[in-house]
Amino acid sequence: MGRKVTVATCALNQWALDFEGNLQRILRSIEIARNKGAKYRVGPELEICGYGCWDHYFESDTILHSYQVLAHLLVAPVAQDIICDVGMPVMHRNVRYNCRVIFLNGKILLIRPKMVLANEGNYQEMRWFAPWQKSRQAEDHILPRIIQKLTKQEVVPFGDLVLATKDTCIGTEICEELWTPHSPHIDMGLDGVEIFANSSGSHHVLRKAHTRVELVNLATLKNGGIYLLSNQKGCDGDRLYYDGCSMISVNGATVAQGAQFSLDDVEVLTATVDLEDVRTFRAEISSRNLMASKVVPYTRVRVDFALSCHDDVLVSISEPIQWQFHSLGEEISLGPACWLWDYLRRSQQAGFFLPLSGGVDSSATACMVYSMCRQVCQAVNSGNKEVLADVRRILNCDDVVPQDPQKLCGQLLTTCYMATQNSSQATCVRAKELAEQIGSYHINLNIDGVIKAVLDVFCMATGKMPQFLVHGGSSREDVAMQNIQARIRMVFAYLLAQLSLWSRGMRGGLLVLGSTNVDECLRGYLTKYDCSSADINPIGGISKTDLRTFIQYCMENFHLHSLRSIMSAQSTAELEPLAEGQVIQTDEEDMGMTYNELSVFGRLRKMGKAGPYSMFCKLINLWKEICTPREVAEKVKQFFQKYSLNRHKMTTLTPSYHAENYSPDDNRFDPRPFLYQANWTWQFRCIDHQVVKLEGAEGDQDFDNLV
């Protein structure tokens, strides 16, 4: 009957500017799709050059090399008899566009530019590209000579068009267009488009997967149709981890689900669907059909090709499935671990070095490396040859076959407990026990001698010796005495990262891992250029509360029983003198606020777009059962003072895995000043005025008409 079609979408671990590797992964995905019987294949956004090229998009080389890769694809034997939809930047009439290039049997059918650009948070597409704003219009695009020579085409259609094959109609969306209030698929569907293909570069954020899945399913629930989502996966060169989740949906139901976290560089999903199911679904929705009669039609590019075959009666179709979501603990266990693996294998380093303090943050970081080792062993056991080759190259051993995560962790992770006279025996024991359970190569050392030497030099230069507050020193001396310990740990971390393998007769260096969580970054509760200064930080975008959830997950699923004592202990920097051998310094007391409160402040500041006064107004209602308005005011003012005084620390923040939408990462996600008027005089005056009014007293009359 010719109504059943097999279509393919994929998740590719592309790498920015790795044109050779990107080409090979695209070819493999096309080959797999063809072998599974697919007649249409769609790939991730900008897959030819890699999504994260940033200002390299300004370079003509990026477009040139993208066309060179496209030329290889056009003539590749595996790319014949299948419609291929690939992503690359295209310069049209001296304007750069983020495009899909759709081709069949060596001929380009259509170049479709992105119409709605992502330009918030981590995304700055308007910096490099222009949106195509001519809805349902197209122009002739003159192909470069390198492509003309192969396709024998001088011009091809460029614009907002759809493809009409012999048996169906295909429309294209690109990432952000799915997330807009009036997505292109709405009018496309009303105009008879039956298959929608979305190419995405969507990154992982904790608790985000369900939103993406719901958007895809809703795209065809009210309007009918077949929706293919292709997303990039992996770390392509910066803080983001693209988390796959490629999927195929039919009439609002998922029929194929891809992995969210995986070490496979190429993942291809196929589904066989009945076009008549779309047609009958639409036919009974009278409101849809009424709207369809009034829609402005799309111009169709005719394609002499069919996705279906005549004899398909016995062909089975894909049935709806229930999407399986990861728990929060699983997300934290898998996402940063995959990011760490990509970073390690692509950085040409031999492993990781982690200052392990015995606290929750550094322990969580260690567990992420252990989780990475577990995934590597699982991938090797399942026959992943690329992962095996990467392990052998990293370990400089051609015959190793990793099967034991603990043994592999000992080869890839070096941990070190750097004690001072202010360190407790309890944290030393906790660090040692965790290192033994995950298998890391562990070093214990004492850095008091170095601290003393630094202070002696200072004394020689100034004639003064600083003291801790409890020993009669000032607050300024106390902070300096704490900071010198933290900064010396950073110096030792890099020394050991460079030379610890050398000292053991092994080649290579180690990447230094940071372990400062997102709440401490937000508050600035860290020493600038201490152990928070590292090469990368897998927990820098994760809250303390969520890290505790992850630690609990590791206890239950990895059977790391040493984490129990780490979870039950109070968080402490251990930089102040002990009292009779006991720790008296705690993080929350030092900060003047709890980690839970910091998470609330962070979400309101970034996601809620709240300044001091707006935050106060929201919190007097949110916290009305636990705080008076005056107490809320004091908490808000203290947060903004500390945040603004410490904002400069974000300019040197270690690149962190992005997992939270309230991350204060100054580099790209949260651009704000780093020199503030930290007294917030006007804003705090508004808060004080409102507190006085709420307490029933006379406020400042000058503000009555302003607040």
Side-chain angles (χ1 to χ4, degrees):
M1 294 178 64
R3 67 185 193 184
K4 295 176 183 176
V5 299
T6 300
V7 290
T9 184
C10 56
L12 305 182
N13 194 336
Q14 302 297 73
W15 191 9
L17 304 177
D18 179 24
F19 293 98
E20 179 64 36
N22 293 347
L23 169 62
Q24 296 308 317
R25 286 181 283 271
I26 293 170
L27 287 171
R28 277 175 53 200
S29 71
I30 296 172
E31 182 178 21
I32 294 170
R34 272 192 53 179
N35 290 342
K36 291 185 174 184
K39 292 295 185 179
Y40 177 84
R41 174 269 183 203
V42 61
E45 186 174 9
L46 294 166
E47 60 187 305
I48 285 180
C49 57
Y51 183 84
C53 294
W54 294 89
D55 279 6
H56 289 289
Y57 287 122
F58 290 134
E59 301 167 4
S60 60
D61 282 9
T62 302
I63 293 179
L64 168 65
H65 299 324
S66 294
Y67 271 119
Q68 291 170 336
V69 170
L70 178 62
H72 280 277
L73 293 171
L74 286 166
V75 299
V78 298
Q80 306 306 304
D81 298 318
I82 181 172
I83 296 177
C84 297
D85 182 343
V86 299
M88 60 177 278
V90 174
M91 184 79 78
H92 175 68
R93 300 185 182 181
N94 294 336
V95 180
R96 191 182 302 100
Y97 294 96
N98 174 349
C99 293
R100 305 303 303 172
V101 179
I102 306 173
F103 62 91
L104 170 67
N105 294 332
K107 299 286 186 181
I108 294 175
L109 305 174
L110 165 67
I111 299 178
R112 202 286 201 168
K114 192 171 183 178
M115 302 178 69
V116 181
L117 299 181
N119 209 55
E120 67 284 329
N122 288 297
Y123 297 99
Q124 300 179 27
E125 291 180 9
M126 290 285 284
R127 180 178 173 91
W128 312 294
F129 303 111
W132 181 258
Q133 297 184 302
K134 301 175 182 179
S135 176
R136 296 173 177 77
Q137 297 181 44
E139 299 171 351
D140 286 342
H141 176 72
I142 301 175
L143 293 170
R145 284 173 292 181
I146 184 178
I147 303 299
Q148 289 185 28
K149 183 178 178 181
L150 297 174
T151 66
K152 310 305 180 186
Q153 298 167 286
E154 184 177 341
V155 297
V156 295
F158 183 102
D160 184 22
L161 308 176
V162 297
L163 296 180
T165 65
K166 289 181 176 181
D167 49 1
T168 189
C169 190
I170 305 170
T172 299
E173 286 188 331
I174 306 177
C175 198
E176 182 74 7
E177 294 169 2
L178 171 64
W179 299 75
T180 59
H182 194 91
S183 297
H185 71 257
I186 297 172
D187 287 343
M188 286 184 194
L190 292 173
D191 191 37
V193 172
E194 295 175 329
I195 299 175
F196 311 99
N198 185 305
S199 307
S200 286
S202 182
H203 68 280
H204 175 232
V205 173
L206 294 175
R207 310 172 184 87
K208 173 185 173 182
H210 72 280
T211 304
R212 190 189 297 138
V213 172
E214 288 171 3
L215 279 172
V216 171
N217 284 331
L218 285 172
T220 57
L221 180 63
K222 292 190 290 185
N223 205 1
I226 302 158
Y227 203 103
L228 287 72
L229 175 73
S230 174
N231 192 26
Q232 177 150 318
K233 67 191 301 187
C235 166
D236 82 336
D238 62 15
R239 295 157 169 78
L240 304 183
Y241 178 80
Y242 300 93
D243 59 337
C245 284
S246 295
M247 63 180 291
I248 302 174
S249 175
V250 179
N251 296 338
T254 303
V255 297
Q257 172 188 350
Q260 185 176 12
F261 308 108
S262 165
L263 300 189
D264 295 332
D265 283 347
V266 177
E267 180 189 30
V268 178
L269 294 179
T270 59
T272 300
V273 295
D274 193 333
L275 295 173
E276 286 301 312
D277 288 342
V278 175
R279 294 159 188 166
T280 56
F281 183 90
R282 288 176 169 177
E284 66 177 359
I285 308 175
S286 58
S287 59
R288 178 218 168 259
N289 298 334
L290 181 63
M291 295 179 70
S293 67
K294 298 185 291 184
V295 73
V296 178
Y298 280 80
T299 300
R300 283 159 161 75
V301 177
R302 303 287 177 177
V303 184
D304 187 19
F305 185 76
L307 303 190
S308 60
C309 60
H310 291 293
D311 187 16
D312 62 5
V313 176
L314 298 179
V315 175
S316 300
I317 63 171
S318 303
E319 297 295 333
I321 60 174
Q322 186 67 39
W323 190 281
Q324 301 297 316
F325 293 101
H326 292 292
S327 68
L328 176 61
E330 285 178 315
E331 279 196 80
I332 301 174
S333 171
L334 298 171
C338 291
W339 182 75
L340 284 171
W341 175 247
D342 277 349
Y343 205 102
L344 176 60
R345 68 191 179 112
R346 289 171 170 172
S347 68
Q348 306 294 312
Q349 297 301 299
F352 299 109
F353 179 88
L354 172 66
L356 185 61
S357 69
V360 166
D361 294 335
S362 62
S363 297
T365 305
C367 290
M368 287 174 179
V369 179
Y370 181 66
S371 176
M372 180 200 80
C373 294
R374 288 172 59 92
Q375 291 186 69
V376 168
C377 291
Q378 290 169 6
V380 170
N381 290 336
S382 65
N384 190 316
K385 295 180 180 179
E386 289 80 12
V387 172
L388 179 59
D390 285 332
V391 172
R392 289 175 171 175
R393 178 180 51 79
I394 292 168
L395 297 179
N396 194 30
C397 182
D398 293 334
D399 58 358
V400 66
V401 181
Q403 295 179 325
D404 180 2
Q406 195 175 39
K407 181 178 179 181
L408 181 61
C409 192
Q411 295 168 307
L412 294 179
L413 176 62
T414 298
T415 53
C416 180
Y417 183 83
M418 303 184 207
T420 71
Q421 61 185 357
N422 302 323
S423 303
S424 68
Q425 185 62 28
T427 53
C428 179
V429 170
R430 290 198 290 265
K432 182 174 181 293
E433 289 179 347
L434 178 60
E436 289 174 350
Q437 289 188 8
I438 64 175
S440 67
Y441 182 86
H442 190 63
I443 301 170
N444 264 316
L445 59 86
N446 188 292
I447 59 174
D448 279 332
V450 181
I451 295 170
K452 182 179 183 303
V454 171
L455 291 174
D456 286 345
V457 171
F458 176 83
C459 185
M460 288 174 58
T462 65
K464 291 184 175 293
M465 179 63 77
Q467 301 292 331
F468 285 104
L469 192 64
V470 296
H471 296 157
S474 64
S475 296
R476 187 192 303 186
E477 293 171 69
D478 192 81
V479 171
M481 291 290 286
Q482 294 186 57
N483 286 347
I484 192 63
Q485 300 168 70
R487 288 180 174 133
I488 285 174
R489 285 185 173 125
M490 185 270 287
V491 173
F492 265 98
Y494 273 96
L495 177 63
L496 288 165
Q498 288 179 301
L499 295 179
S500 62
L501 293 184
W502 165 79
S503 70
R504 292 148 57 189
M506 302 164 66
R507 73 167 186 86
L510 302 174
L511 292 164
V512 179
L513 296 179
S515 55
T516 303
N517 63 64
V518 70
D519 297 323
E520 290 169 349
C521 295
L522 177 68
R523 162 62 173 71
Y525 185 63
L526 56 99
T527 299
K528 203 171 186 180
Y529 305 117
D530 68 346
C531 280
S532 65
S533 298
D535 294 313
I536 52 174
N537 179 2
I539 72 165
I542 305 175
S543 72
K544 189 79 158 192
T545 302
D546 288 347
L547 286 175
R548 289 187 175 277
T549 299
F550 168 60
I551 291 290
Q552 185 66 40
Y553 173 86
C554 292
M555 289 167 53
E556 295 170 359
N557 293 272
F558 299 165
H559 308 297
L560 302 176
H561 304 301
S562 60
L563 293 173
R564 191 167 287 111
S565 61
I566 293 170
M567 275 279 282
S568 62
Q570 282 191 310
S571 296
T572 174
E574 289 197 337
L575 295 173
E576 293 183 358
L578 304 176
E580 298 180 356
Q582 300 299 312
V583 175
I584 56 173
Q585 181 184 26
T586 65
D587 290 351
E588 292 187 340
E589 187 176 341
D590 272 2
M591 293 189 297
M593 57 195 74
T594 68
Y595 283 106
N596 287 338
E597 289 171 346
L598 271 173
S599 291
V600 174
F601 293 145
R603 288 188 171 89
L604 287 175
R605 181 199 69 98
K606 178 66 177 176
M607 299 161 67
K609 314 297 186 292
Y613 182 70
S614 296
M615 185 179 292
F616 165 76
C617 291
K618 291 177 184 294
L619 288 178
I620 56 175
N621 291 299
L622 184 64
W623 288 349
K624 61 184 178 182
E625 302 297 331
I626 56 175
C627 293
T628 66
R630 186 167 294 278
E631 289 171 337
V632 172
E634 291 307 312
K635 287 177 182 289
V636 169
K637 287 194 279 187
Q638 184 183 27
F639 165 71
F640 272 98
Q641 284 177 332
K642 297 299 184 182
Y643 157 76
S644 54
L645 286 170
N646 290 299
R647 178 68 189 181
H648 65 95
K649 297 178 182 178
M650 298 303 98
T651 63
T652 60
L653 195 66
T654 295
S656 303
Y657 180 93
H658 181 88
E660 272 291 359
N661 280 330
Y662 70 90
S663 169
D665 184 346
D666 177 73
N667 186 271
R668 289 168 183 164
F669 181 69
D670 189 41
R672 296 173 191 244
F674 54 86
L675 180 61
Y676 277 94
Q677 207 288 51
N679 291 327
W680 300 83
T681 310
W682 187 275
Q683 296 92 329
F684 288 0
R685 188 178 174 193
C686 290
I687 293 174
D688 292 339
H689 175 74
Q690 195 60 249
V691 169
V692 171
K693 288 181 67 176
L694 289 169
E695 292 177 342
E698 283 288 322
D700 186 341
Q701 297 302 313
D702 292 339
F703 266 66
D704 279 341
N705 296 322
L706 299 177
V707 180

